[in-house]
Amino acid sequence: ETGCFTYDPGFTSTASCDSAITYIDGEVGILMHRGYMIEDLAEHSDFMDVCYLLLHGELPKADQKTEFERSITYHTMLHEQMNYFYRGFRRDSHPMAIMVGVVGAMSAFYHDSTDISDPRQRMIASHRLIAKMPTIAAMAYKFSIGQPFVYPRNDLNYAENFLNMIFSVPCEEYKISPVLARAMDRIFILHADHEQNASTSTVRISGSSNANPFACIAAGIASLWGPAHGGANEAVLQMLQEIGTKDRIPEFIERAKDRDDPFRLMGFGHRVYKNYDPRAKVMQKSCHEVLAELGVKDPLLDVAMELERIALEDEYFAEKKLFPNVDFYSGIILKAMGFPTSMFTVLFALARTVGWVAQWREMIEDPKQRISRPRQLYNGHTKRDYVALGDR
Ligand code: SDX
């Protein structure tokens, strides 16, 4: 089973493209990357393994992994001139606004890797994006809290480097917890790619016009920001804080069922999964590990667990096939790790960059590739005569 769908222009299918990267079976709750189950990758691989797999189609051998990891590590620094770019933002700018701006501006600083017809430049741009995203994200965070930027270090792995750039300060040694670094790495794996979701489709459509890769990834970041998509992890925390205590859960469950009430249970439901999102199960396990490691008793987790229990027993949600998705637990873990809610979607964008890049390259390197040009079902006026201003 390859899980490929072929788009047949002759018939209105929801399939938008061929792809060999990620396969989802929403009915059963299966997610595979290049044939490997997400549960196995989350258990046995690290994020660099998964990045190599998504980009090259195979898990790396030891020497390939060493070389790939080195090429990423030695591209983590940002062009020094971009520091001034950050200083143009207000301190209270949402970090996603900074991400969209800074990533879009990368084509102005790295124009030697914007010629998409050159395979070498495509590879360099891909590595630069994957390597620099943690630095860009960490700088957005440091800028928002008025702390100095922390440079990446070549003696740390991808997740450790990110945690160090986020939480360390020049005044003292920052001790990286191996459990937090492993949890961070696993969160990156679980968010790496997810077939043709809204932001990935945005990247593909942008890339189909041969726009440079930095501009395409900036478009993907913009799309991911929405609370119906990647912004849901931030919205889950806001919802749990609004619910506040377990005894108020039934009130919100009823609101979620009321078609006239715009309230939606954040972190529940999915356009494709009509069963448990396999990532949510791994995330739930990781959530308990992180909270135990940190000795955090988060009352919001208690509310989250009770909300999940009640929702899963409720026949409305069963009938609508609404299950917790990846965002339901990620917000709680990230809050426990010390991230502000404004950074949750930034972390999602950081992790999803490899998926966007892999899907962009698959599209660009397809010899059949043409500019994307969706059509419409026109339901406006039929032809009518012009009316002069004086006669309107
Ligand atoms: C992500 O596409 C991806 O792969 C995305 C993602 C990825 O990795 O890229 O998986 C990441 O975006 C996960 C989703 C995060 N969003 C949220 O958690 C926000 C809350 N969820 C909802 O907004 C909603 O479930 C969506 C947007 C995710 C999906 O909406 P759909 O496509 O309308 O869902 P559906 O067709 O399955 O809905 C069926 C019914 C509808 O009611 P009816 O029209 O049949 O009466 O269930 C209702 C929906 O209104 N419904 C909900 C609900 N989600 C759907 N009702 C209450 N609460 C909810 N959360």
Side-chain angles (χ1 to χ4, degrees):
E1 271 306 301
T2 60
C4 278
F5 297 98
T6 305
Y7 177 60
D8 172 357
F11 114 97
T12 48
S13 133
T14 53
S16 59
C17 64
D18 293 354
S19 179
I21 298 172
T22 292
Y23 175 72
I24 298 174
D25 180 333
E27 291 307 318
V28 181
I30 288 175
L31 167 58
M32 295 195 298
H33 293 315
R34 305 282 193 182
Y36 293 99
M37 297 287 277
I38 189 65
E39 294 87 345
D40 292 338
L41 293 171
E43 185 65 32
H44 306 298
S45 274
D46 64 18
F47 186 58
M48 286 293 104
D49 250 3
V50 173
C51 285
Y52 189 95
L53 174 67
L54 290 172
L55 290 171
H56 300 288
E58 297 297 337
L59 285 168
K61 296 183 178 65
D63 59 335
Q64 291 169 325
K65 181 170 180 181
T66 304
E67 178 45 38
F68 179 73
E69 205 151 11
R70 190 189 172 288
S71 75
I72 296 298
T73 300
Y74 282 79
H75 282 91
T76 47
M77 281 216 297
L78 210 52
H79 190 297
E80 197 67 9
Q81 193 78 8
M82 294 190 87
N83 288 359
Y84 303 107
F85 200 87
Y86 279 84
R87 300 194 196 292
F89 287 98
R90 286 173 40 140
R91 285 284 177 184
D92 61 353
S93 304
H94 194 291
M96 284 298 280
I98 297 177
M99 293 290 282
V100 171
V102 171
V103 173
M106 285 177 77
S107 56
F109 293 89
Y110 299 105
H111 35 70
D112 61 335
S113 58
T114 51
D115 175 0
I116 58 119
S117 65
D118 176 347
R120 194 175 164 282
Q121 288 198 31
R122 290 200 299 266
M123 189 273 292
I124 292 170
S126 305
H127 287 195
R128 277 175 167 160
L129 279 157
I130 295 165
K132 295 178 194 310
M133 241 0 151
T135 312
I136 292 169
M139 288 170 73
Y141 173 62
K142 286 302 199 186
F143 180 73
S144 71
I145 58 174
Q147 284 188 359
F149 296 143
V150 174
Y151 282 88
R153 280 174 36 187
N154 294 345
D155 60 322
L156 299 175
N157 71 33
Y158 196 83
E160 291 167 342
N161 216 350
F162 176 63
L163 290 172
N164 187 59
M165 289 190 283
I166 285 276
F167 293 122
S168 76
V169 286
C171 333
E172 62 187 17
E173 173 79 9
Y174 169 66
K175 279 221 163 309
I176 299 170
S177 146
V179 172
L180 289 197
R182 179 71 191 121
M184 190 82 266
D185 191 87
R186 188 176 291 144
I187 288 171
F188 290 160
I189 291 172
L190 295 173
H191 288 82
D193 190 54
H194 208 243
E195 204 220 65
Q196 305 312 317
N197 56 82
S199 54
T200 300
S201 302
T202 302
V203 170
R204 278 182 171 256
I205 287 180
S206 314
S208 74
S209 70
N210 295 342
N212 76 73
F214 305 107
C216 297
I217 300 305
I221 295 171
S223 169
L224 185 76
W225 194 358
H229 188 12
N233 50 21
E234 184 175 350
V236 165
L237 257 291
Q238 286 154 0
M239 174 188 72
L240 292 174
Q241 281 153 349
E242 189 186 352
I243 294 173
T245 55
K246 290 184 192 177
D247 59 345
R248 291 197 64 207
I249 291 174
E251 168 199 335
F252 284 84
I253 292 276
E254 290 315 308
R255 281 187 58 194
K257 297 179 191 174
D258 178 356
R259 299 280 292 143
D260 299 327
D261 186 330
F263 174 75
R264 285 280 177 277
L265 275 188
M266 291 290 113
F268 277 78
H270 199 278
R271 177 55 64 80
V272 176
Y273 288 122
K274 300 309 165 194
N275 201 314
Y276 231 97
D277 179 338
R279 301 169 296 177
K281 283 192 184 133
V282 179
M283 200 66 91
Q284 184 192 44
K285 180 168 167 282
S286 207
C287 188
H288 288 290
E289 283 168 7
V290 167
L291 291 175
E293 158 76 7
L294 295 173
V296 168
K297 280 298 291 162
D298 188 341
L300 288 184
L301 180 68
D302 299 338
V303 173
M305 297 299 290
E306 182 64 3
L307 173 61
E308 182 191 32
R309 186 189 66 77
I310 295 174
L312 290 180
E313 288 171 1
D314 186 290
E315 59 197 46
Y316 172 87
F317 289 103
E319 180 209 314
K320 299 281 183 188
K321 298 187 177 179
L322 298 178
F323 294 88
N325 58 47
V326 68
D327 294 293
F328 187 65
Y329 286 99
S330 61
I332 297 158
I333 300 181
L334 295 174
K335 177 176 179 289
M337 292 171 80
F339 291 100
T341 52
S342 61
M343 283 295 288
F344 290 4
T345 312
V346 170
L347 296 181
F348 196 151
L350 188 171
R352 185 55 57 90
T353 295
V354 64
W356 287 332
V357 165
Q359 299 260 0
W360 166 76
R361 276 184 35 183
E362 182 181 61
M363 184 262 311
I364 282 287
E365 290 163 6
D366 175 355
K368 303 193 308 296
Q369 187 263 331
R370 299 165 66 196
I371 190 166
S372 175
R373 180 54 175 89
R375 293 309 309 274
Q376 63 179 17
L377 291 176
Y378 179 72
N379 57 17
H381 282 285
T382 52
K383 184 179 176 305
R384 50 183 172 160
D385 296 335
Y386 184 76
V387 180
L389 180 60
D391 299 331
R392 290 175 203 162

